[in-house]
Amino acid sequence: MADHLDDTGREFGFDTRAIHAGQRPDPATGARAMPIYQTSSYVFEDSEAAAAYFNLQEYGNTYSRIMNPTVAAFEERVASLEGGVGAVAFASGLAAQAAALFTILRPGDHIVAARALYGGTTTQLKHFLGKLSVEITFVDSDDPNAWRTAIRPNTKALYGETIGNPGGNILDIATVAAIAHEAGAPLIIDNTFASPYLCRPIEWGADIVIHSATKFLGGHGTSIGGVVVESGLFNWSNGRFPVVAEPSAAYHGLAFHETFGVYGYLQKLRSETLRDLGAALSPFNAFLFLLGIETLPLRMERHVANALGVARFLAEQPQVERVRHPALPGSPYLPLVERYLPRGAGAIFSFDLRGGREAGQHFIESLELWSHLANVGDAKSLVIHPASTTHRQLSDEELSGGGIGGGTIRLSVGLESLDDLLWDLGRGLRAAASVTERVAAVAD
Ligand SMILES: *Cc1c(COP(=O)(O)O)cnc(C)c1O
């Protein structure tokens, strides 16, 4: 584990690692903040050293598409916080997902995935991987039996999210991990909505953890980026993954798992998949993510508290049909929240307004503090009305199939004063009510 920062054997706490893991004062200048190594390439000491780097016999900087010191500090920090053996950063969350899967998949392979995933992920799995002849079975993620029965001999991964959207469903990670391992496949978890402060899936048996760093890790809505963390515990030589275990034609016959042991998957992810896909994280974005992570524990506490405050407020409003926050009384996910998310169930949830699409539109348009946009995990509070934006093309029937109604609103609760957030929502609710009242008056 990358938990130890010095040789004393002390395991530093999460908050300490959020500030220090992966970074020491710059050896060249003494700079205490992480320098932005804005360079494409690195001078080799001599040709022998260069050859050793390219043969992966020694670890050293060659070219910033593959590694960079600022990016490396970010990778090490996230690996430490997630309790993984290492990490590889990417230009976006979607690039990280694609790379994590490309590293283990071949045409004709199969994946089992949760049905209620981030929209971009569903599209990527279904259409992009579909084009490469990878088959996906989407299952009801709440049903362990659905995961189990969907597994086939060519299943190469189970894929889910810690906190799903828009239903706020919490994945029973330990149960699904056990099902995956029975079949000799890894469990991949997108932990973006929880962040490692609220949940560390590797501690519950997940093998690979993915983040869109764009969200809570960065925390300020400034940069796009992603990262893949691996536990180092999965046996890639179990016969199901010749792609990882056997000599690789793409790296002059190197057998990654045998050569690098617990680092085999990550080494292949970096020196083959990242090298060939080219979706490298920029050093500047890595610098901003490192800065963001320093305050992750403090921010998440406030995100969680504000989100609960907003959810409780909404649950009492007559214009609100239901609030889908996993930690509210009556939520079917309470036992799972208690087990996997004892510090809180995140800050992204949805609720349903009475009055359908029109009420939703009026609500959104009358908000002042809440920004109407397609992002989550920002210090600023964000709101979106799926029926008039991201899911605009869908009919009402198609919407409800995805758990989205005309009046569904998704919130990402930020760090502002709770009173101000409630004040603004109150204004939106009055605007929405004017629609329902008008409809009721016409009906009379
Ligand atoms: C945003 C997001 C992604 C995609 O990440 P990008 O950085 O936008 O590519 C994947 N999963 C979840 C849960 C997300 O919120």
Side-chain angles (χ1 to χ4, degrees), residues 91-97 117-121 159 161 163 165 190-193 210-215 223-226 348 375-376 410:
S92 70
L94 278 184
Q97 294 173 190
L117 292 170
Y118 173 77
T121 306
Y159 195 103
E161 292 173 352
I163 305 173
N165 193 263
D190 179 339
N191 196 31
T192 301
F193 276 23
I210 291 171
H211 280 280
S212 167
T214 312
K215 316 296 166 54
S223 321
I224 304 281
I348 301 155
N375 190 28
V376 294
R410 188 192 68 193

Side-chain angles (χ1 to χ4, degrees), residues 24 57 72 74 80 86 126 141-142 186 203 223 250 259 265 299 319 331 344-345 364 372 376-377 388 408 416:
R24 292 164 188 272
Q57 286 158 332
F74 165 67
S80 169
K126 205 157 138 186
S141 59
D142 295 346
E203 292 176 0
S223 321
T259 309
Y265 169 85
R299 286 187 290 106
Q319 301 94 324
S331 155
I364 290 262
H372 180 200
V376 294
S388 64
T408 299
E416 299 93 339

Side-chain angles (χ1 to χ4, degrees), residues 57-263:
Q57 286 158 332
E58 286 202 37
Y59 210 65
N61 295 312
T62 52
Y63 191 59
S64 282
R65 168 152 41 75
I66 299 157
M67 58 174 81
N68 171 281
T70 314
V71 175
F74 165 67
E75 291 169 336
E76 231 180 285
R77 187 163 303 172
V78 177
S80 169
L81 296 182
E82 285 288 359
V85 80
V88 179
F90 291 87
S92 70
L94 278 184
Q97 294 173 190
L101 291 168
F102 281 172
T103 303
I104 56 175
L105 291 178
R106 287 199 294 208
D109 282 345
H110 173 250
I111 294 173
V112 184
R115 188 168 291 136
L117 292 170
Y118 173 77
T121 306
T122 305
T123 308
Q124 184 188 52
L125 294 178
K126 205 157 138 186
H127 299 289
F128 187 60
L129 286 181
K131 265 197 290 201
L132 305 174
S133 302
V134 171
E135 267 193 279
I136 323 288
T137 305
F138 291 102
V139 298
D140 171 3
S141 59
D142 295 346
D143 178 5
N145 213 37
W147 290 97
R148 189 176 287 112
T149 52
I151 292 174
R152 306 177 191 168
N154 59 341
T155 299
K156 295 302 162 76
L158 274 56
Y159 195 103
E161 292 173 352
T162 315
I163 305 173
N165 193 263
N169 39 324
I170 310 297
L171 189 68
D172 186 348
I173 300 172
T175 300
V176 180
I179 293 167
H181 297 159
E182 262 169 51
L187 173 63
I188 304 179
I189 295 286
D190 179 339
N191 196 31
T192 301
F193 276 23
S195 90
Y197 181 72
L198 299 179
C199 179
R200 289 175 294 281
I202 287 173
E203 292 176 0
W204 298 100
D207 303 285
I208 294 172
V209 170
I210 291 171
H211 280 280
S212 167
T214 312
K215 316 296 166 54
F216 291 111
L217 292 182
H220 298 80
T222 62
S223 321
I224 304 281
V227 61
V228 179
V229 184
E230 205 225 354
S231 70
L233 301 174
F234 188 78
N235 179 16
W236 298 101
S237 300
N238 66 1
R240 199 175 268 252
F241 297 94
V243 166
V244 185
E246 285 174 10
S248 168
Y251 219 104
H252 44 72
L254 191 66
F256 277 92
H257 193 223
E258 185 185 306
T259 309
F260 296 104
V262 296
Y263 299 104

